[in-house]
Coordinates of all heavy atoms in Angstrom, one line a residue:
M1 N -7.2 11.3 -8.8 CA -7.7 11.2 -7.5 C -7.5 12.5 -6.7 O -6.4 13.0 -6.7 CB -7.1 10.0 -6.7 CG -7.8 9.6 -5.5 SD -7.1 8.1 -4.7 CE -7.6 6.9 -5.8
T2 N -8.5 13.1 -6.1 CA -8.3 14.3 -5.4 C -7.6 14.1 -4.0 O -7.6 12.9 -3.5 CB -9.7 15.0 -5.1 OG1 -10.4 14.2 -4.2 CG2 -10.5 15.2 -6.4
E3 N -7.2 15.1 -3.4 CA -6.5 15.0 -2.1 C -7.5 14.5 -1.1 O -7.2 13.7 -0.2 CB -6.0 16.4 -1.7 CG -5.2 16.3 -0.4 CD -4.4 17.6 -0.1 OE1 -3.9 18.2 -1.0 OE2 -4.5 18.0 1.1
Q4 N -8.8 15.0 -1.2 CA -9.8 14.5 -0.2 C -10.1 13.0 -0.4 O -10.3 12.3 0.6 CB -11.1 15.3 -0.3 CG -12.1 15.0 0.7 CD -11.6 15.2 2.1 OE1 -11.0 16.3 2.5 NE2 -11.7 14.2 3.0
E5 N -10.1 12.5 -1.6 CA -10.3 11.1 -1.9 C -9.2 10.3 -1.3 O -9.4 9.2 -0.7 CB -10.5 10.8 -3.4 CG -11.8 11.3 -4.0 CD -11.8 11.3 -5.5 OE1 -10.7 11.5 -6.1 OE2 -12.9 11.0 -6.0
I6 N -8.0 10.8 -1.4 CA -6.8 10.1 -0.8 C -6.9 10.0 0.7 O -6.7 9.0 1.3 CB -5.5 10.8 -1.3 CG1 -5.3 10.6 -2.8 CG2 -4.3 10.2 -0.5 CD1 -4.2 11.4 -3.4
K7 N -7.3 11.2 1.3 CA -7.5 11.2 2.7 C -8.6 10.2 3.2 O -8.4 9.6 4.2 CB -7.8 12.6 3.2 CG -6.6 13.6 3.1 CD -7.0 15.0 3.5 CE -5.8 15.9 3.4 NZ -6.2 17.3 3.8
D8 N -9.7 10.2 2.4 CA -10.8 9.3 2.8 C -10.3 7.8 2.7 O -10.7 7.0 3.6 CB -12.0 9.5 1.8 CG -12.7 10.8 2.1 OD1 -12.4 11.5 3.1 OD2 -13.4 11.2 1.2
I9 N -9.5 7.5 1.7 CA -9.0 6.1 1.6 C -8.1 5.8 2.7 O -8.1 4.7 3.3 CB -8.3 5.9 0.2 CG1 -9.4 5.9 -0.9 CG2 -7.5 4.6 0.2 CD1 -8.8 5.9 -2.3
C10 N -7.2 6.7 3.1 CA -6.3 6.5 4.2 C -7.1 6.3 5.5 O -6.7 5.5 6.3 CB -5.3 7.7 4.3 SG -4.1 7.7 3.0
E11 N -8.1 7.1 5.7 CA -8.9 6.9 6.9 C -9.6 5.5 6.9 O -9.6 4.8 7.9 CB -10.0 8.0 7.0 CG -10.8 8.0 8.3 CD -11.7 9.1 8.4 OE1 -11.4 10.2 7.9 OE2 -12.8 8.9 9.1
K12 N -10.2 5.2 5.8 CA -10.9 3.9 5.7 C -10.0 2.7 6.0 O -10.4 1.8 6.7 CB -11.4 3.7 4.3 CG -12.1 2.4 4.0 CD -12.7 2.2 2.6 CE -13.3 0.9 2.4 NZ -13.9 0.8 1.1
Y13 N -8.7 2.8 5.6 CA -7.8 1.6 5.8 C -6.8 1.9 7.0 O -5.8 1.2 7.1 CB -7.0 1.3 4.5 CG -7.9 0.8 3.4 CD1 -8.4 1.5 2.4 CD2 -8.4 -0.6 3.5 CE1 -9.3 1.0 1.4 CE2 -9.2 -1.1 2.5 CZ -9.6 -0.3 1.5 OH -10.5 -0.8 0.6
D14 N -7.1 2.9 7.8 CA -6.4 3.2 9.0 C -4.9 3.5 8.6 O -4.0 3.0 9.4 CB -6.5 2.1 10.0 CG -6.1 2.6 11.4 OD1 -6.2 3.8 11.7 OD2 -5.7 1.8 12.2
I15 N -4.6 4.1 7.6 CA -3.3 4.5 7.2 C -3.0 5.9 7.8 O -3.7 6.8 7.6 CB -3.1 4.6 5.7 CG1 -3.4 3.2 5.1 CG2 -1.7 5.1 5.3 CD1 -3.5 3.2 3.5
R16 N -1.9 5.9 8.6 CA -1.6 7.1 9.4 C -0.2 7.6 9.1 O 0.6 6.9 8.5 CB -1.7 6.8 10.9 CG -3.1 6.4 11.3 CD -3.2 6.0 12.8 NE -4.5 5.5 13.1 CZ -5.5 6.2 13.5 NH1 -5.4 7.5 13.6 NH2 -6.7 5.6 13.8
N17 N 0.1 8.8 9.5 CA 1.4 9.4 9.4 C 1.9 9.3 7.9 O 3.0 8.8 7.6 CB 2.5 8.6 10.2 CG 2.1 8.7 11.7 OD1 1.7 9.8 12.2 ND2 2.3 7.7 12.4
Y18 N 1.1 9.9 7.0 CA 1.3 9.8 5.6 C 1.5 11.3 5.0 O 1.0 12.2 5.6 CB 0.3 9.1 4.8 CG -1.1 9.7 4.9 CD1 -1.5 10.7 4.0 CD2 -2.0 9.4 5.9 CE1 -2.7 11.3 4.1 CE2 -3.2 10.0 6.0 CZ -3.6 10.9 5.1 OH -4.8 11.5 5.1
T19 N 2.1 11.3 3.9 CA 2.3 12.6 3.2 C 1.8 12.3 1.8 O 2.2 11.3 1.2 CB 3.8 13.0 3.1 OG1 4.3 13.1 4.4 CG2 4.0 14.3 2.4
I20 N 1.0 13.2 1.2 CA 0.5 13.1 -0.2 C 1.5 13.8 -1.1 O 1.8 14.9 -0.9 CB -0.9 13.7 -0.3 CG1 -1.9 13.0 0.6 CG2 -1.3 13.6 -1.8 CD1 -3.2 13.6 0.7
N21 N 2.0 13.0 -2.1 CA 3.0 13.6 -3.0 C 2.2 14.3 -4.2 O 1.1 14.0 -4.4 CB 3.9 12.5 -3.5 CG 4.7 11.8 -2.4 OD1 5.3 12.5 -1.6 ND2 4.6 10.5 -2.3
P22 N 2.9 15.1 -4.9 CA 2.3 15.8 -6.0 C 1.7 14.9 -7.1 O 0.7 15.2 -7.8 CB 3.4 16.7 -6.6 CG 4.4 16.9 -5.5 CD 4.3 15.6 -4.7
D23 N 2.2 13.7 -7.2 CA 1.7 12.7 -8.2 C 0.5 11.9 -7.7 O 0.0 11.0 -8.4 CB 2.8 11.8 -8.8 CG 3.3 10.8 -7.7 OD1 2.9 10.9 -6.5 OD2 4.2 10.0 -8.1
G24 N 0.1 12.2 -6.5 CA -1.1 11.5 -5.9 C -0.7 10.2 -5.2 O -1.5 9.6 -4.6
S25 N 0.6 9.8 -5.2 CA 1.1 8.7 -4.3 C 1.2 9.2 -2.9 O 1.2 10.4 -2.6 CB 2.4 8.1 -4.9 OG 3.4 9.1 -4.7
I26 N 1.4 8.2 -2.0 CA 1.6 8.6 -0.6 C 2.9 8.0 -0.1 O 3.3 6.9 -0.5 CB 0.5 8.3 0.3 CG1 0.2 6.8 0.4 CG2 -0.8 9.0 -0.1 CD1 -0.8 6.4 1.5
D27 N 3.5 8.7 0.8 CA 4.7 8.2 1.6 C 4.1 8.0 3.0 O 3.3 8.8 3.6 CB 5.8 9.2 1.7 CG 6.5 9.5 0.4 OD1 6.4 8.6 -0.5 OD2 7.1 10.5 0.2
V28 N 4.5 6.8 3.6 CA 4.0 6.5 5.0 C 5.1 6.3 5.9 O 6.0 5.5 5.6 CB 3.1 5.2 4.9 CG1 2.6 4.9 6.3 CG2 2.0 5.4 3.9
N29 N 5.1 7.0 7.0 CA 6.1 6.9 8.0 C 5.7 5.9 9.1 O 5.2 6.3 10.2 CB 6.4 8.3 8.7 CG 7.6 8.3 9.6 OD1 8.5 7.3 9.5 ND2 7.8 9.2 10.5
G30 N 5.7 4.7 8.7 CA 5.2 3.6 9.6 C 4.8 2.4 8.8 O 5.2 2.3 7.6
N31 N 3.9 1.6 9.3 CA 3.4 0.4 8.7 C 2.2 0.6 7.9 O 1.4 1.5 8.2 CB 3.2 -0.7 9.7 CG 4.4 -1.2 10.5 OD1 5.5 -1.2 9.9 ND2 4.2 -1.5 11.7
V32 N 1.9 -0.2 6.9 CA 0.7 -0.2 6.2 C 0.1 -1.7 6.3 O 0.8 -2.6 5.9 CB 0.8 0.1 4.7 CG1 -0.5 -0.1 3.9 CG2 1.3 1.6 4.5
N33 N -1.1 -1.8 6.8 CA -1.7 -3.1 7.0 C -3.0 -3.3 6.2 O -4.0 -2.8 6.6 CB -2.0 -3.3 8.5 CG -2.5 -4.8 8.8 OD1 -2.6 -5.6 7.9 ND2 -2.8 -5.0 10.0
L34 N -2.9 -3.9 5.1 CA -4.0 -4.2 4.2 C -4.2 -5.7 4.2 O -4.7 -6.3 3.2 CB -3.7 -3.7 2.8 CG -3.5 -2.2 2.7 CD1 -3.1 -1.8 1.3 CD2 -4.7 -1.4 3.1
F35 N -3.9 -6.4 5.2 CA -4.0 -7.9 5.3 C -5.4 -8.3 5.3 O -6.2 -7.8 6.1 CB -3.3 -8.3 6.6 CG -3.3 -9.8 6.9 CD1 -2.4 -10.6 6.3 CD2 -4.3 -10.3 7.7 CE1 -2.5 -12.0 6.5 CE2 -4.4 -11.7 7.9 CZ -3.4 -12.5 7.3
D36 N -5.7 -9.3 4.5 CA -7.0 -10.0 4.5 C -8.2 -9.0 4.4 O -9.2 -9.1 5.2 CB -7.1 -10.9 5.8 CG -8.2 -12.0 5.6 OD1 -8.6 -12.3 4.5 OD2 -8.6 -12.5 6.7
M37 N -8.2 -8.2 3.4 CA -9.3 -7.2 3.2 C -10.1 -7.5 2.0 O -10.8 -6.6 1.5 CB -8.8 -5.8 3.3 CG -8.2 -5.4 4.6 SD -8.0 -3.7 4.8 CE -7.5 -3.5 6.5
N38 N -9.9 -8.6 1.3 CA -10.6 -9.0 0.1 C -10.4 -8.0 -1.0 O -11.3 -7.8 -1.8 CB -12.1 -9.1 0.5 CG -12.8 -10.1 -0.4 OD1 -12.2 -11.1 -0.9 ND2 -14.1 -9.8 -0.7
L39 N -9.2 -7.5 -1.1 CA -8.9 -6.5 -2.1 C -8.5 -7.2 -3.5 O -7.8 -8.2 -3.5 CB -7.7 -5.6 -1.7 CG -7.8 -4.8 -0.5 CD1 -6.5 -4.1 -0.1 CD2 -8.9 -3.7 -0.6
T40 N -9.0 -6.6 -4.6 CA -8.6 -7.1 -5.9 C -7.6 -6.2 -6.5 O -6.9 -6.6 -7.4 CB -9.8 -7.2 -6.8 OG1 -10.4 -5.9 -6.9 CG2 -10.8 -8.2 -6.3
E41 N -7.4 -5.0 -5.9 CA -6.3 -4.1 -6.3 C -6.0 -3.2 -5.1 O -6.9 -3.1 -4.2 CB -6.7 -3.3 -7.5 CG -7.9 -2.4 -7.3 CD -8.3 -1.6 -8.5 OE1 -8.0 -2.0 -9.6 OE2 -9.0 -0.6 -8.4
L42 N -4.9 -2.6 -5.1 CA -4.5 -1.7 -4.0 C -5.3 -0.5 -4.1 O -5.5 0.0 -5.2 CB -3.0 -1.4 -4.0 CG -2.1 -2.7 -3.7 CD1 -0.7 -2.3 -3.8 CD2 -2.4 -3.2 -2.2
P43 N -5.8 0.1 -3.0 CA -6.8 1.2 -3.1 C -6.2 2.5 -3.4 O -6.9 3.5 -3.7 CB -7.4 1.2 -1.7 CG -6.4 0.6 -0.8 CD -5.7 -0.4 -1.7
I44 N -4.8 2.6 -3.3 CA -4.1 3.8 -3.4 C -2.7 3.6 -3.9 O -2.2 2.4 -3.8 CB -4.1 4.6 -2.1 CG1 -3.8 6.0 -2.2 CG2 -3.2 3.9 -1.1 CD1 -4.1 6.8 -0.9
K45 N -2.1 4.6 -4.5 CA -0.7 4.4 -5.0 C 0.3 4.8 -3.9 O 0.2 5.9 -3.4 CB -0.5 5.2 -6.2 CG 0.9 5.0 -6.9 CD 1.0 5.8 -8.1 CE 2.3 5.7 -8.8 NZ 3.5 5.2 -8.2
F46 N 1.1 3.8 -3.5 CA 2.1 4.1 -2.5 C 3.4 4.4 -3.2 O 3.8 3.9 -4.2 CB 2.3 2.8 -1.6 CG 1.1 2.5 -0.8 CD1 0.1 1.6 -1.3 CD2 0.9 3.1 0.4 CE1 -1.0 1.3 -0.6 CE2 -0.3 2.8 1.2 CZ -1.2 1.9 0.7
N47 N 4.2 5.2 -2.5 CA 5.6 5.5 -3.0 C 6.6 5.0 -2.0 O 7.3 4.1 -2.4 CB 5.7 7.1 -3.1 CG 7.1 7.4 -3.7 OD1 7.6 6.8 -4.6 ND2 7.8 8.4 -3.0
R48 N 6.7 5.5 -0.8 CA 7.6 5.0 0.2 C 6.9 4.6 1.4 O 6.1 5.4 1.9 CB 8.7 6.1 0.5 CG 9.6 6.4 -0.7 CD 10.5 7.5 -0.3 NE 11.5 7.2 0.7 CZ 12.7 6.6 0.6 NH1 13.1 6.4 -0.6 NH2 13.4 6.4 1.6
V49 N 7.2 3.4 2.0 CA 6.7 3.0 3.3 C 7.9 2.7 4.1 O 8.6 1.8 3.8 CB 5.7 1.8 3.1 CG1 5.3 1.3 4.5 CG2 4.5 2.1 2.3
R50 N 8.0 3.4 5.2 CA 9.2 3.3 6.0 C 9.2 2.1 7.0 O 10.2 1.7 7.5 CB 9.5 4.6 6.8 CG 10.0 5.7 5.8 CD 10.2 7.0 6.4 NE 10.7 8.0 5.4 CZ 9.9 8.6 4.6 NH1 8.6 8.3 4.5 NH2 10.4 9.5 3.7
G51 N 8.0 1.5 7.2 CA 7.8 0.4 8.0 C 7.6 -0.9 7.2 O 8.1 -1.0 6.1
N52 N 6.7 -1.8 7.7 CA 6.3 -3.0 7.0 C 5.1 -2.7 6.1 O 4.3 -1.8 6.4 CB 6.0 -4.1 8.0 CG 7.1 -4.5 8.9 OD1 8.3 -4.5 8.4 ND2 6.8 -4.8 10.1
F53 N 5.0 -3.5 5.0 CA 3.9 -3.4 4.1 C 3.2 -4.7 4.0 O 3.8 -5.7 3.6 CB 4.3 -2.9 2.7 CG 3.2 -2.6 1.8 CD1 2.6 -1.3 1.8 CD2 2.7 -3.5 0.9 CE1 1.6 -1.0 1.0 CE2 1.7 -3.3 0.1 CZ 1.1 -2.0 0.1
Y54 N 2.0 -4.8 4.5 CA 1.2 -6.1 4.5 C 0.0 -6.0 3.5 O -0.8 -5.2 3.7 CB 0.6 -6.3 5.9 CG 1.6 -6.3 7.1 CD1 1.9 -5.2 7.8 CD2 2.2 -7.5 7.5 CE1 2.7 -5.2 8.9 CE2 3.0 -7.6 8.5 CZ 3.3 -6.4 9.2 OH 4.2 -6.4 10.3
C55 N 0.1 -6.9 2.5 CA -1.0 -6.9 1.6 C -1.4 -8.4 1.3 O -2.0 -8.7 0.3 CB -0.8 -6.2 0.3 SG 0.6 -6.8 -0.7
S56 N -1.1 -9.3 2.2 CA -1.3 -10.7 2.1 C -2.8 -11.1 2.2 O -3.6 -10.3 2.8 CB -0.5 -11.5 3.2 OG 0.8 -11.2 3.0
N57 N -3.1 -12.3 1.8 CA -4.5 -12.9 1.9 C -5.6 -12.0 1.3 O -6.6 -11.7 1.9 CB -4.8 -13.2 3.3 CG -4.0 -14.4 3.8 OD1 -3.2 -15.0 3.1 ND2 -4.2 -14.7 5.1
N58 N -5.3 -11.5 0.1 CA -6.3 -10.7 -0.6 C -6.5 -11.4 -1.9 O -6.2 -12.6 -2.0 CB -5.8 -9.3 -0.9 CG -5.9 -8.4 0.4 OD1 -7.0 -8.1 0.8 ND2 -4.8 -8.0 1.0
K59 N -7.0 -10.7 -2.9 CA -7.3 -11.3 -4.3 C -6.5 -10.5 -5.3 O -7.0 -10.3 -6.4 CB -8.8 -11.4 -4.5 CG -9.5 -12.3 -3.6 CD -11.0 -12.2 -3.9 CE -11.7 -13.1 -2.9 NZ -13.2 -13.1 -3.0
L60 N -5.4 -10.0 -4.9 CA -4.6 -9.2 -5.9 C -4.1 -10.0 -7.0 O -3.6 -11.1 -6.8 CB -3.4 -8.5 -5.1 CG -3.7 -7.6 -3.9 CD1 -2.4 -7.2 -3.3 CD2 -4.6 -6.4 -4.3
T61 N -4.2 -9.5 -8.2 CA -3.6 -10.1 -9.4 C -2.4 -9.4 -9.9 O -1.6 -9.9 -10.7 CB -4.6 -10.2 -10.5 OG1 -5.1 -8.9 -10.9 CG2 -5.8 -11.1 -10.2
S62 N -2.1 -8.2 -9.4 CA -0.9 -7.4 -9.7 C -0.5 -6.6 -8.5 O -1.2 -6.5 -7.6 CB -1.2 -6.5 -10.9 OG -1.7 -5.3 -10.5
L63 N 0.7 -6.2 -8.6 CA 1.3 -5.3 -7.5 C 1.3 -3.9 -7.9 O 2.0 -3.1 -7.3 CB 2.7 -5.8 -7.2 CG 2.8 -7.2 -6.6 CD1 4.2 -7.7 -6.4 CD2 2.0 -7.3 -5.3
E64 N 0.5 -3.5 -8.9 CA 0.3 -2.1 -9.3 C -0.1 -1.3 -8.1 O -1.0 -1.6 -7.3 CB -0.7 -2.0 -10.4 CG -0.8 -0.5 -10.9 CD -1.8 -0.4 -12.0 OE1 -2.1 -1.4 -12.7 OE2 -2.3 0.7 -12.3
G65 N 0.6 -0.2 -7.8 CA 0.4 0.7 -6.7 C 1.2 0.4 -5.5 O 1.2 1.1 -4.5
C66 N 2.0 -0.7 -5.5 CA 2.9 -1.1 -4.4 C 3.9 0.0 -4.2 O 4.3 0.7 -5.2 CB 3.6 -2.4 -4.6 SG 2.6 -3.8 -4.0
P67 N 4.4 0.2 -3.0 CA 5.5 1.1 -2.8 C 6.8 0.7 -3.6 O 7.1 -0.5 -3.7 CB 5.7 1.1 -1.3 CG 5.2 -0.2 -0.8 CD 4.1 -0.5 -1.8
S68 N 7.5 1.7 -4.0 CA 8.8 1.4 -4.6 C 9.9 1.2 -3.6 O 10.9 0.5 -3.8 CB 9.3 2.6 -5.5 OG 9.4 3.8 -4.8
Y69 N 9.6 1.6 -2.4 CA 10.6 1.5 -1.2 C 9.8 1.0 0.0 O 8.8 1.6 0.3 CB 11.2 2.8 -0.9 CG 12.1 2.9 0.3 CD1 13.4 2.6 0.2 CD2 11.5 3.1 1.6 CE1 14.2 2.7 1.4 CE2 12.3 3.1 2.7 CZ 13.6 2.9 2.6 OH 14.4 2.9 3.7
V70 N 10.3 0.0 0.6 CA 9.7 -0.5 1.9 C 10.9 -0.6 2.9 O 11.8 -1.4 2.7 CB 9.0 -1.9 1.8 CG1 8.5 -2.4 3.1 CG2 7.9 -1.8 0.8
G71 N 10.8 0.1 4.0 CA 11.9 0.2 4.9 C 12.0 -1.1 5.8 O 13.0 -1.4 6.4
G72 N 10.9 -1.8 5.9 CA 10.8 -3.0 6.8 C 10.6 -4.2 5.9 O 11.3 -4.4 4.9
S73 N 9.6 -5.0 6.2 CA 9.3 -6.3 5.5 C 8.1 -6.1 4.6 O 7.3 -5.2 4.8 CB 9.0 -7.4 6.5 OG 10.2 -7.7 7.2
F74 N 8.1 -6.9 3.5 CA 7.0 -6.8 2.5 C 6.3 -8.2 2.5 O 7.0 -9.2 2.2 CB 7.6 -6.5 1.1 CG 6.6 -6.4 0.0 CD1 5.8 -5.4 -0.1 CD2 6.6 -7.4 -0.9 CE1 4.9 -5.3 -1.1 CE2 5.7 -7.4 -2.0 CZ 4.8 -6.3 -2.1
Y75 N 5.1 -8.2 2.8 CA 4.3 -9.4 2.9 C 3.2 -9.4 1.8 O 2.3 -8.5 1.9 CB 3.7 -9.6 4.3 CG 4.7 -9.7 5.4 CD1 5.0 -8.5 6.1 CD2 5.2 -10.9 5.8 CE1 5.9 -8.5 7.1 CE2 6.2 -10.9 6.8 CZ 6.5 -9.8 7.5 OH 7.4 -9.8 8.5
C76 N 3.2 -10.3 0.9 CA 2.2 -10.3 -0.1 C 1.7 -11.8 -0.5 O 1.2 -12.0 -1.6 CB 2.6 -9.6 -1.4 SG 3.9 -10.4 -2.3
Y77 N 1.9 -12.7 0.4 CA 1.5 -14.1 0.1 C 0.0 -14.2 0.1 O -0.7 -13.4 0.6 CB 2.2 -15.1 1.1 CG 1.8 -14.8 2.6 CD1 0.6 -15.3 3.1 CD2 2.6 -14.0 3.4 CE1 0.2 -15.0 4.4 CE2 2.3 -13.7 4.7 CZ 1.1 -14.2 5.2 OH 0.7 -13.9 6.5
G78 N -0.5 -15.3 -0.5 CA -1.9 -15.6 -0.4 C -2.7 -14.7 -1.4 O -3.9 -14.4 -1.1
N79 N -2.2 -14.3 -2.5 CA -2.9 -13.5 -3.5 C -2.9 -14.3 -4.8 O -2.5 -15.5 -4.8 CB -2.2 -12.2 -3.7 CG -2.5 -11.2 -2.6 OD1 -3.7 -10.8 -2.5 ND2 -1.5 -10.8 -1.8
N80 N -3.4 -13.7 -5.9 CA -3.5 -14.4 -7.2 C -2.6 -13.7 -8.2 O -3.0 -13.4 -9.3 CB -5.0 -14.3 -7.7 CG -5.9 -15.0 -6.7 OD1 -5.6 -16.1 -6.2 ND2 -7.1 -14.5 -6.6
L81 N -1.4 -13.4 -7.8 CA -0.4 -12.7 -8.6 C 0.0 -13.5 -9.8 O 0.2 -14.7 -9.7 CB 0.8 -12.3 -7.8 CG 0.6 -11.4 -6.6 CD1 1.9 -11.2 -5.8 CD2 0.0 -10.1 -7.0
T82 N 0.0 -12.8 -11.0 CA 0.5 -13.4 -12.2 C 1.9 -13.0 -12.6 O 2.5 -13.6 -13.5 CB -0.5 -13.1 -13.3 OG1 -0.6 -11.7 -13.5 CG2 -1.9 -13.7 -13.1
S83 N 2.4 -11.9 -11.9 CA 3.8 -11.5 -12.1 C 4.2 -10.6 -10.9 O 3.3 -10.3 -10.1 CB 3.9 -10.7 -13.4 OG 3.6 -9.3 -13.2
L84 N 5.4 -10.3 -10.9 CA 5.9 -9.4 -9.8 C 6.2 -8.0 -10.3 O 6.8 -7.2 -9.6 CB 7.2 -10.0 -9.2 CG 7.0 -11.4 -8.5 CD1 8.4 -11.9 -8.0 CD2 6.0 -11.3 -7.4
V85 N 5.7 -7.7 -11.5 CA 5.8 -6.3 -12.0 C 5.1 -5.4 -11.0 O 4.0 -5.6 -10.6 CB 5.2 -6.2 -13.4 CG1 5.2 -4.7 -13.8 CG2 6.0 -7.0 -14.4
G86 N 5.8 -4.3 -10.6 CA 5.3 -3.4 -9.6 C 5.7 -3.6 -8.2 O 5.4 -2.8 -7.3
C87 N 6.5 -4.7 -8.0 CA 7.0 -4.9 -6.7 C 8.0 -3.9 -6.2 O 8.6 -3.2 -7.1 CB 7.5 -6.4 -6.5 SG 9.1 -6.6 -7.3
P88 N 8.3 -3.7 -5.0 CA 9.2 -2.7 -4.5 C 10.6 -2.9 -5.1 O 11.1 -4.0 -5.3 CB 9.2 -2.9 -3.0 CG 7.9 -3.6 -2.7 CD 7.6 -4.4 -3.8
N89 N 11.3 -1.8 -5.4 CA 12.7 -1.8 -5.8 C 13.6 -2.0 -4.7 O 14.7 -2.5 -4.8 CB 13.0 -0.5 -6.5 CG 12.2 -0.3 -7.8 OD1 12.0 -1.2 -8.5 ND2 11.8 0.9 -8.0
Y90 N 13.2 -1.6 -3.5 CA 14.0 -1.8 -2.3 C 13.1 -2.3 -1.1 O 12.1 -1.7 -0.8 CB 14.6 -0.4 -1.9 CG 15.4 -0.5 -0.6 CD1 16.8 -0.9 -0.7 CD2 14.8 -0.3 0.6 CE1 17.5 -1.0 0.5 CE2 15.6 -0.4 1.8 CZ 16.9 -0.7 1.7 OH 17.6 -0.8 2.9
I91 N 13.6 -3.3 -0.5 CA 12.9 -3.8 0.8 C 14.0 -4.0 1.8 O 15.0 -4.6 1.6 CB 12.2 -5.2 0.5 CG1 11.2 -5.0 -0.5 CG2 11.6 -5.6 1.8 CD1 10.5 -6.3 -1.0

């Protein structure tokens, strides 16, 4: 994914105060709200989110792309998850 594609996705989902890492993942200094957006997968790879991470009420079947670190709360209820592989290492 190019840097411009990452920026476009962040704009589409109103993700602000982010840094793009060399591996294409992003760090967010704040909250990420992907609540109830009919997602079947996360649109971007997250690394660190210093606030809350909301991905509830979607159609996610995996947590691939979830941040490894969430500084606040992690909300992922109301999905079709089959495992917790990919969930944050720290919340």
Side-chain angles (χ1 to χ4, degrees):
M1 191 175 292
T2 68
E3 187 172 317
Q4 187 57 52
E5 289 171 324
I6 294 169
K7 288 178 180 180
D8 291 345
I9 289 169
C10 289
E11 183 176 331
K12 177 180 178 178
Y13 292 101
D14 198 28
I15 299 169
R16 301 176 185 270
N17 300 319
Y18 63 89
T19 303
I20 301 172
N21 298 310
D23 67 355
S25 67
I26 64 169
D27 294 336
V28 181
N29 189 20
N31 297 327
V32 172
N33 186 0
L34 300 173
F35 178 83
D36 200 20
M37 295 194 173
N38 208 30
L39 300 173
T40 57
E41 62 184 22
L42 292 174
I44 198 165
K45 183 176 181 345
F46 294 91
N47 181 46
R48 294 176 64 91
V49 174
R50 289 177 179 79
N52 298 323
F53 188 85
Y54 303 91
C55 63
S56 299
N57 289 359
N58 283 294
K59 296 178 182 176
L60 301 176
T61 56
S62 84
L63 293 175
E64 184 178 338
C66 273
S68 59
Y69 172 95
V70 177
S73 296
F74 178 74
Y75 300 93
C76 70
Y77 58 85
N79 281 294
N80 301 321
L81 299 175
T82 56
S83 84
L84 296 177
V85 172
C87 71
N89 295 322
Y90 177 88
I91 301 173

